[in-house]
Amino acid sequence: MTPARPTPAPPPPVPLRTERLELRYLRDADADELLRYYGRADTTRYLLDGPWDAAKARDEVGRRQGRLHITAAGFAVCLVVVEPDAQGGRAVVGDITLWAVDDSLSLGEISWVFDPAAGGRGLANEAARAVLDLAFGHYGMHRVRVRMDARNAASARLCERLGFRREGLLRQDWLIKEEWTDTLVYGMLAPEWPGAAAVEGPPPAQAGPR
Ligand SMILES: CC(C)(COP(=O)(O)OP(=O)(O)OC[C@H]1O[C@@H](n2cnc3c(N)ncnc32)[C@H](O)[C@@H]1OP(=O)(O)O)[C@@H](O)C(=O)NCCC(=O)NCCS
């Protein structure tokens, strides 16, 4: 059994950088960027709330600006994913949140929402890998899960491409937009994440033949 973490990890090394992307903390000015995709019914179809309006975007961005580090159950790291644009600036293409499910800080959950205009290029995949590195590498988590509306095929495909295992289907356990919906649960354990070998330590000594 993996013991509970005795002390919280140091603050995460944000911004995270990948080949094409930067994952950084939210700023006030991101409200308009997030509204661009959270304002769409197709993007929020399987989310608990949405589409957002401008006031909701400001509230959410304000709330998420305080989610910087995981030091207790329910605490989260909220990041926007930005990509260089043609004008030499950076455009927000999505956002990802990692939070601790309980006091052990060893059980994490991830959620992701990306602008459909940036879809189909593997950007969510690339950003999620950086966040899995954060979960298993920086925070030393033991397990990360993703829960989604069972009809959310794009999110399920993303989990499978990342190497999550499909673990179960909970029947009608979420009320999404006034409809009881089934939830798909995907999970990944630390040894299943390729980047986690150094964090988990060497494999146990080879046992003799039984
Ligand atoms: C779930 C979601 C983030 C997935 O986004 P996505 O863009 O499909 O995910 P990926 O980054 O993995 O991109 C995958 C697509 O890019 C293609 N692709 C192109 N280049 C790629 C690359 N270098 N690496 C990986 N995939 C690549 C893949 O073939 C795939 O195409 P397909 O969808 O036709 O199979 C997005 O659909 C979303 O934001 N949905 C709305 C919000 C939501 O429901 N969130 C989930 C809450 S649990």
Side-chain angles (χ1 to χ4, degrees), residues 20 42-44 46-47 110-116 118-126 146-149 152 154-158 161:
R20 293 177 287 179
D42 55 351
T43 310
T44 57
Y46 302 124
L47 305 183
I110 293 183
S111 70
W112 38 54
V113 179
F114 277 70
D115 185 344
R121 292 194 291 132
L123 298 181
N125 186 305
E126 189 172 317
V146 181
R147 295 179 298 163
M148 73 199 66
D149 185 315
N152 195 342
S155 197
R157 278 200 306 275
L158 175 55
R161 277 192 292 262

Side-chain angles (χ1 to χ4, degrees), residues 12-94:
V14 174
L16 310 177
R17 293 204 168 79
T18 68
E19 200 179 319
R20 293 177 287 179
L21 304 168
E22 184 180 278
L23 286 73
R24 62 159 172 78
Y25 292 130
L26 280 84
R27 303 169 183 154
D28 288 342
D30 293 330
D32 286 344
E33 302 250 29
L34 267 64
L35 184 58
R36 201 179 55 239
Y37 55 97
Y38 277 95
R40 294 174 55 145
D42 55 351
T43 310
T44 57
R45 177 167 178 218
Y46 302 124
L47 305 183
L48 288 174
D49 55 16
W52 294 359
D53 58 19
K56 171 78 173 168
R58 276 194 305 276
D59 285 354
E60 275 294 325
V61 167
R63 201 174 59 82
R64 293 182 191 195
Q65 283 181 74
R67 310 279 200 262
L68 308 173
H69 185 21
I70 296 171
T71 53
F75 277 39
V77 176
C78 290
L79 301 170
V80 288
V81 182
V82 297
E83 185 187 29
D85 63 23
Q87 287 74 45
R90 287 179 175 272
V92 174
V93 293

